[in-house]
Amino acid sequence: MGKIGLGLNLEAVRTSHKSFEWAVQFASELGYEYIEPMVHWGRELLSEARYFHSVSMLDDPFRIRNACEKFGVKLSAFSSHSQLSKPEIAVEYLKQAARFAKECGAPVINTHEGHKQTWTTAEEDWVLIRYSIMEAIKVCEPRGIRLGLETHQTYSLSIDGYDRILSLVDSSNIGANFDTGNAYLGGFDPVSWLDHIKHRLVHMHAKDISIEQSDAERGKVMGTAVGCACGDGVIDWEKIIAILKTIPQDIVMSVECGTLDQAARSIDYLRKLIK
């Protein structure tokens, strides 16, 4: 059976106004083995000033590699979300992310299909999404980079829609970046859904949802930016981990929470269950 690793999506540092390097050190000191950084195009004022954790893909990719080596962590994936239904954004963004990931040592780049456009039909959206995936995977495949498609937006937050997205392009480098919290807020049981797609899993967002958020938003939203600390919410982590222990591939549970304290409590909680 595969290994279950624990990682931190660096969104946990977003509201703390800290740099990427600070975030890597923070994750390492908590005991996380992996990190999932966010990458972006161009230049962004707060990132340039080191008040934000995201890294520009115009930077030297060895900035990420060197920080990971310095603080003893590995990359589980890039948070490289772009709207697959908008090829003018997604195609070049994901191609650059794949090239950047290869130099940094990130095995997966994560994305999703995006919000529904007002001027397209559903069938037109499927053509646009397939086009973006096809263009991206042609850059991913020769570099050994996997494209993680997330349960997040217009079509992926249904079981049938997610199956269809995962099957639009025939490639072993395409897989599921399953987000437990988004699946739950979409009105589904994340345990049974994970069991359904576990053979396609390449990465996982370990996102818990508080009772308050569940009561206010379940069935009304298409995912959420971050969750609460794992163990504080509604997700049955014992069952999630039990499924992960049955699959042959290594999987990183990348914790998606909103604060430094939640990041600390999440690893304490999940580490005990995994062991």
Side-chain angles (χ1 to χ4, degrees):
M1 298 303 171
K3 172 190 172 185
I4 302 174
L6 283 177
L8 182 65
N9 184 302
L10 298 189
E11 281 288 294
V13 179
R14 174 164 51 90
T15 58
S16 301
H17 311 300
K18 301 293 187 181
S19 70
F20 166 73
E21 285 78 10
W22 188 95
V24 179
Q25 182 176 3
F26 170 74
S28 174
E29 289 176 349
L30 287 181
Y32 284 100
E33 186 181 358
Y34 297 89
I35 59 167
E36 181 185 358
M38 183 171 78
V39 292
H40 65 267
W41 257 351
R43 294 298 180 184
E44 195 278 324
L45 177 60
L46 294 179
S47 295
E48 292 297 304
R50 302 296 192 260
Y51 297 136
F52 194 64
H53 65 90
S54 183
V55 175
S56 172
M57 289 187 286
L58 295 181
D59 278 352
D60 184 347
F62 274 38
R63 176 186 173 193
I64 292 179
R65 179 190 288 263
N66 292 341
C68 290
E69 290 177 353
K70 179 178 179 180
F71 296 111
V73 297
K74 292 174 281 191
L75 295 168
S76 66
F78 277 162
S79 178
S80 52
H81 288 284
S82 58
Q83 298 208 54
L84 293 169
S85 60
K86 298 181 74 174
E88 74 277 15
I89 297 174
V91 169
E92 294 304 324
Y93 183 95
L94 290 172
K95 286 161 67 175
Q96 175 65 7
R99 293 189 289 261
F100 206 75
K102 179 62 177 179
E103 284 208 63
C104 292
V108 179
I109 58 172
N110 290 323
T111 190
H112 65 276
E113 79 276 20
H115 294 282
K116 178 75 180 75
Q117 307 307 307
T118 59
W119 56 272
T120 57
T121 66
E123 284 310 308
E124 287 170 337
D125 287 337
W126 287 110
V127 174
L128 294 171
I129 293 167
R130 181 176 180 271
Y131 175 81
S132 295
I133 294 174
M134 178 63 77
E135 287 297 305
I137 205 64
K138 287 192 293 186
V139 179
C140 289
E141 282 183 336
R143 290 166 175 80
I145 303 298
R146 289 172 291 180
L147 184 64
L149 303 176
E150 185 169 338
T151 41
H152 203 349
Q153 288 288 346
T154 307
Y155 301 108
S156 59
L157 271 185
S158 75
I159 294 173
D160 290 342
Y162 195 46
D163 285 348
R164 183 174 179 181
I165 289 176
L166 289 170
S167 301
L168 283 175
V169 175
D170 183 16
S171 172
S172 60
N173 287 64
I174 294 172
N177 176 47
F178 187 74
D179 187 303
T180 53
N182 290 348
Y184 177 86
L185 286 177
F188 297 92
D189 172 20
V191 174
S192 60
W193 196 349
L194 174 62
D195 192 54
H196 173 69
I197 56 89
K198 62 187 179 183
H199 62 293
R200 297 297 306 272
L201 199 65
V202 297
H203 194 260
M204 196 178 87
H205 280 168
K207 183 189 291 176
D208 212 336
I209 302 297
S210 69
I211 294 173
E212 293 79 12
Q213 185 177 9
S214 172
D215 291 343
E217 296 185 350
R218 192 176 193 202
K220 303 175 185 177
V221 299
M222 293 186 295
T224 188
V226 292
C228 63
C230 294
D232 285 358
V234 297
I235 303 299
D236 190 333
W237 292 109
E238 290 190 24
K239 291 182 179 179
I240 293 290
I241 290 169
I243 291 172
L244 295 181
K245 287 183 176 180
T246 68
I247 61 179
Q249 66 269 35
D250 293 347
I251 292 297
V252 175
M253 300 175 68
S254 182
V255 172
E256 259 198 337
C257 58
T259 68
L260 306 182
D261 177 65
Q262 290 173 358
R265 286 189 285 119
S266 292
I267 190 171
D268 288 343
Y269 177 80
L270 292 174
R271 191 156 43 193
K272 293 174 183 176
L273 292 182
I274 292 172
K275 288 182 178 179

